Amino acid sequence: MGTKNNVTEFVLFCLFQSREMQHVCFVVFSLIHVLTVLGNLLVIITINASKTLKAPMYFFLNHLSFANMCYPSATTPKMIADTFVERKTISFNGCMTQLFSAHFFGGTEIFLLTAMAYTCYVAICRPLHYTTIMDRWKSGLLAGASWVAGFLHSILQTLLTVQLPFCGPNEIDSFCCDVHPLLKLACADTYVVGLIVVANSGMISLVSFIILIISYVVILLNLRSWSSEGRRKALSTCGSHIITVLLVLVPPMFMYIRPSTTLAADKLVILFNVVMPPLLNPLIYTLRNNEVKSAMRKLKGVQGRSDSPGNLIQHGMQEASHPGGSSHPDFHLVPSPIYCL
């Protein structure tokens, strides 16, 4: 028997019902979206135009910035456009496309963060083997695997949802299409589908979060034998990564590690997850990185001396050979800079 589906469109709800607040939303979210796209686009252009930002971490940051630029673009433009209309609708196919795109870029972002954490772990904990472990081919393999994993995650979510029967009502209690609100509208028992959603989205978020936290704990333990200067720079690096991990992974864990139910706070959590990490990630990864800032100045034609704080891989090699920060005249650093952002 085929799937019975009488719904050709869904009705979305805005964050606020008053016209005045919707106009405020238009201004605020339009500005945020433009800043998000421009910020991540600037990072992409800078990395690709620079001759010095060729380390594996910058390679992953390039991919992450692209995902950060595309992820909010799956939902935010529609949300902004809906502030002008009274009845906010989206076609069935448009809803499924939005669902697929959001989970594709959001999932890829999580996997890229995991790959970046592994790169940072190797740079700090195994610095003498860094160039062998993180060569160009293996970096490309990790990035490609992140995109493939994001696609598989998203296509499973979409296929689980699109095969459900929708026979009315068609009002989604959110400003965008997501799994939990759609399962609530399905005219069938969605218990099994809900469990698969928890296993797919919830467990991916939880397992990635645990792996990332463990990796940073191992990094911090390895820093105990470093000099105070190397420890300070590595802690600054890890702090930026941990902030990003919390911003990206806490909202999906809240959303998907629970039964298929909708809560009043869901809309705000989704909004935060869509808007804030893509906006803040360019700032988190570039403002405290003097190499990126120097490359941006050169891109704008501004001459200036690079005030790079140093190279973690060089600190790691020094610490690995001479714990405590002591130097040795016969110790030679690798000539090419390899950064852990």
Side-chain angles (χ1 to χ4, degrees):
M1 181 180 294
T3 300
K4 181 181 179 181
N5 195 343
N6 297 329
V7 174
T8 58
E9 66 177 17
F10 294 99
V11 179
L12 302 173
F13 284 92
C14 191
L15 291 172
F16 303 98
Q17 298 302 316
S18 68
R19 297 301 301 174
E20 293 78 10
M21 288 303 300
Q22 290 187 36
H23 293 156
V24 172
C25 287
F26 167 77
V27 174
V28 172
F29 293 121
S30 295
L31 179 62
I32 289 176
H33 188 60
V34 170
L35 291 176
T36 299
V37 172
L38 292 180
N40 285 284
L41 187 61
L42 177 61
V43 173
I44 293 172
I45 293 174
T46 301
I47 292 175
N48 286 279
S50 174
K51 295 180 180 180
T52 59
L53 304 181
K54 300 303 180 184
M57 188 59 75
Y58 294 119
F59 173 76
F60 287 112
L61 181 59
N62 192 28
H63 283 265
L64 181 66
S65 296
F66 181 75
N68 283 335
M69 188 171 60
C70 296
Y71 177 46
S73 298
T75 55
T76 305
K78 171 63 176 172
M79 180 180 66
I80 293 172
D82 281 345
T83 59
F84 288 104
V85 297
E86 187 69 29
R87 191 168 185 267
K88 310 169 198 327
T89 61
I90 184 171
S91 67
F92 182 87
N93 291 335
C95 185
M96 295 302 116
T97 301
Q98 190 180 80
L99 175 68
F100 171 81
S101 301
H103 279 270
F104 174 45
F105 292 112
T108 301
E109 182 181 28
I110 292 175
F111 293 119
L112 284 172
L113 284 174
T114 306
M116 292 174 74
Y118 175 71
T119 304
C120 195
Y121 163 79
V122 175
I124 293 177
C125 299
R126 302 189 63 188
L128 299 176
H129 304 280
Y130 185 86
T131 54
T132 303
I133 297 175
M134 294 306 303
D135 57 24
R136 183 180 296 273
W137 185 84
K138 291 175 184 175
S139 297
L141 187 64
L142 277 176
S146 298
W147 285 99
V148 171
F151 174 81
L152 294 176
H153 156 73
S154 182
I155 198 68
L156 177 59
Q157 293 285 79
T158 306
L159 291 177
L160 286 172
T161 307
V162 75
Q163 55 85 31
L164 293 173
F166 296 95
C167 48
N170 65 339
E171 295 181 342
I172 298 177
D173 187 20
S174 182
F175 59 89
C176 65
C177 292
D178 199 18
V179 180
H180 285 321
L182 287 170
L183 292 182
K184 188 177 179 181
L185 299 179
C187 304
D189 184 4
T190 60
Y191 177 75
V192 175
V193 176
L195 290 179
I196 298 176
V197 168
V198 171
N200 186 25
S201 293
M203 293 309 297
I204 284 177
S205 302
L206 180 61
V207 171
S208 298
F209 181 79
I210 293 173
I211 291 174
L212 289 167
I213 294 300
I214 291 176
S215 68
Y216 291 124
V217 170
V218 173
I219 289 172
L220 293 175
L221 291 176
N222 275 270
L223 292 178
R224 290 180 300 177
S225 61
W226 281 36
S227 66
S228 59
E229 177 67 11
R231 202 159 45 235
R232 182 187 65 81
K233 292 175 181 179
L235 287 174
S236 176
T237 292
C238 290
S240 299
H241 282 265
I242 292 172
I243 290 172
T244 303
V245 167
L246 293 176
L247 287 174
V248 171
L249 288 176
V250 171
M253 284 194 296
F254 172 82
M255 287 293 302
Y256 300 113
I257 306 180
R258 55 181 167 88
S260 181
T261 57
T262 55
L263 303 177
D266 284 354
K267 285 185 281 189
L268 293 178
V269 173
I270 294 175
L271 181 65
F272 178 88
N273 191 46
V274 168
V275 170
M276 296 310 295
L279 175 66
L280 295 178
N281 278 351
L283 302 178
I284 293 173
Y285 281 109
T286 60
L287 282 184
R288 300 176 68 180
N289 188 305
N290 291 316
E291 286 296 309
V292 176
K293 289 190 289 185
S294 176
M296 287 180 176
R297 286 196 296 268
K298 292 178 181 178
L299 188 65
K300 293 187 295 183
V302 178
Q303 298 300 321
R305 181 177 62 86
S306 172
D307 53 348
S308 172
N311 184 317
L312 283 188
I313 191 71
Q314 292 178 349
H315 275 288
M317 293 179 72
Q318 288 175 329
E319 300 291 346
S321 299
H322 309 285
S326 61
S327 60
H328 192 281
D330 295 329
F331 181 78
H332 299 284
L333 298 177
V334 289
S336 59
I338 304 173
Y339 288 90
C340 177
L341 294 173

